[in-house]
Amino acid sequence: MIDLRSDTVTKPTSAMRQAAFEAEVGDDVYGEDPTVQRLEAKAAEMLGKDAALFVTSGTQGNQISVLTHCQPGNEVLLEESSHLFLYEGASMSAFAGVQPRTIPGVRGAMNPEDIRAAIRPEDVHFPETGLICVENTHNKAGGAIVPLENMQAIYDVARTHNIPVHLDGARLFNAAAASGISVKRYADQVDTVQFCLSKGLGAPVGSVIAGSAEFITKARKWRKRLGGGLRQVGIIAAPGLVALNDMTDRLTVDHTHARRLAEGIGNIQGLEIEGKVETNMVLVNVGRLGQTAEEFLERMKEADVLANPFGPQTIRLVTHYDVNEQEIEKVIERVNDIAASLR
Ligand SMILES: *Cc1c(COP(=O)(O)O)cnc(C)c1O
């Protein structure tokens, strides 16, 4: 099977398994796990923030951030197809008691003027705007890079109104690798960041949130309340350190593979690439072959290639560490054969 469903399917590298085996550990709820401390210090340094916190998943990191920034009854502004809105089980409503308010986006980028207009004035009828969330790279927009200038403009609006900004940077390292702009420069445009170690960076488990020392102190308590305080967790933080040390620069390889996929599949009659391929995702529309996404994916599965549905007639292919150049060529050939049989 060639598995292009997501970059979450990567298995830990042998260096990661070795690091886990050898990790120096302690009880992290007592703040005594040296490996976790090293991971958090390294992440904070890379992002240019005071402090960082290792959390179990991207969803947990985002929700801890919402809980830490907001009060019940607040309103959160976020892009209408953001992961925080679409794919986190309405956790911000369920846990933080806040109301999400969506803003339209173009390839994941919200118009700063729409944000300015959506910020609530003081009025007894209104919720207070408690947080603005941005996402980079933007998953639903096919791994689109939200431009740094857009983030800057949003941060300017936010600061004028004293509203914090959180970055869902699950794939921030992909944005950095593709744009040549450091993760720190992106992180400079927000108050807090969440990024995933377990996606393109290849670690088996975990995410990191980063922000001011005060924010991280409060976030640590929310993590504990949510049952995310773990003990000898250096075992899983050690692969995360390998991810930060060894796996960030190679993301450009995944991006090259995605561009090659888009080029190869884009040349197949009946298939269309949706949007631009900027990082490690390729969206393919199969509608002109008279197929639904599910039908086409079933045929791909018979040819030992896995991908995910992403719309009624759209499929998503994600490149990652466990797929090599030869496999990319095989995928193009097999998709070509399927399309030919359907024409
Ligand atoms: C994957 C993802 C998350 C959530 O991460 P999990 O570790 O799967 O909970 C959050 N935001 C974005 C943009 C993602 O792609």
Side-chain angles (χ1 to χ4, degrees), residues 35-85:
T35 307
V36 172
Q37 285 165 7
R38 279 208 295 280
L39 173 66
E40 291 175 345
K42 169 93 188 164
E45 184 207 312
M46 288 174 96
L47 293 168
K49 298 294 184 198
D50 291 347
L53 186 70
F54 185 48
V55 295
T56 54
S57 68
T59 300
Q60 192 188 58
N62 283 338
Q63 295 312 323
I64 289 172
S65 300
V66 172
L67 283 158
T68 306
H69 282 300
C70 296
Q71 299 296 319
N74 280 177
E75 187 166 71
V76 174
L77 303 180
L78 73 181
E79 200 273 333
E80 64 187 357
S81 63
S82 61
H83 195 282
L84 262 153
F85 183 64

Side-chain angles (χ1 to χ4, degrees), residues 65-248:
S65 300
V66 172
L67 283 158
T68 306
H69 282 300
C70 296
Q71 299 296 319
N74 280 177
E75 187 166 71
V76 174
L77 303 180
L78 73 181
E79 200 273 333
E80 64 187 357
S81 63
S82 61
H83 195 282
L84 262 153
F85 183 64
L86 287 184
Y87 299 122
E88 301 189 15
S91 3
M92 68 168 73
S93 307
F95 299 143
V98 299
Q99 162 171 294
R101 177 165 175 196
T102 59
I103 307 288
V106 177
R107 291 187 60 72
M110 296 176 283
N111 183 334
E113 290 314 313
D114 290 345
I115 297 205
R116 195 193 303 278
I119 292 172
R120 302 283 195 161
E122 184 49 48
D123 184 302
V124 73
H125 298 88
F126 294 158
E128 274 145 29
T129 307
L131 181 65
I132 297 164
C133 297
V134 294
E135 180 176 320
N136 204 1
T137 64
H138 196 285
N139 182 0
K140 193 70 186 174
I145 300 171
V146 173
L148 185 72
E149 307 74 57
N150 177 257
M151 290 178 60
Q152 271 162 347
I154 290 173
Y155 201 34
D156 285 344
V157 172
R159 275 184 300 190
T160 309
H161 292 86
N162 257 320
I163 298 167
V165 180
H166 173 69
L167 168 60
D168 178 358
R171 296 189 179 82
L172 183 62
F173 283 89
N174 290 85
S179 65
I181 296 169
S182 67
V183 290
K184 180 178 176 305
R185 286 190 65 206
Y186 285 113
D188 282 347
Q189 305 311 320
V190 296
D191 297 289
T192 59
V193 186
Q194 179 278 124
F195 73 86
C196 290
L197 295 161
S198 60
K199 292 189 172 166
L201 299 180
V205 184
S207 281
V208 173
I209 55 179
S212 70
E214 189 195 350
F215 173 86
I216 291 299
T217 301
K218 288 186 187 155
R220 190 177 294 280
K221 187 163 255 183
W222 273 113
R223 185 185 68 173
K224 189 77 179 86
R225 289 189 183 106
L226 295 176
L230 303 177
R231 304 296 177 176
Q232 285 72 31
V233 72
I235 297 285
I236 55 173
L241 265 171
V242 176
L244 287 183
N245 285 325
D246 300 347
M247 302 291 277
T248 60

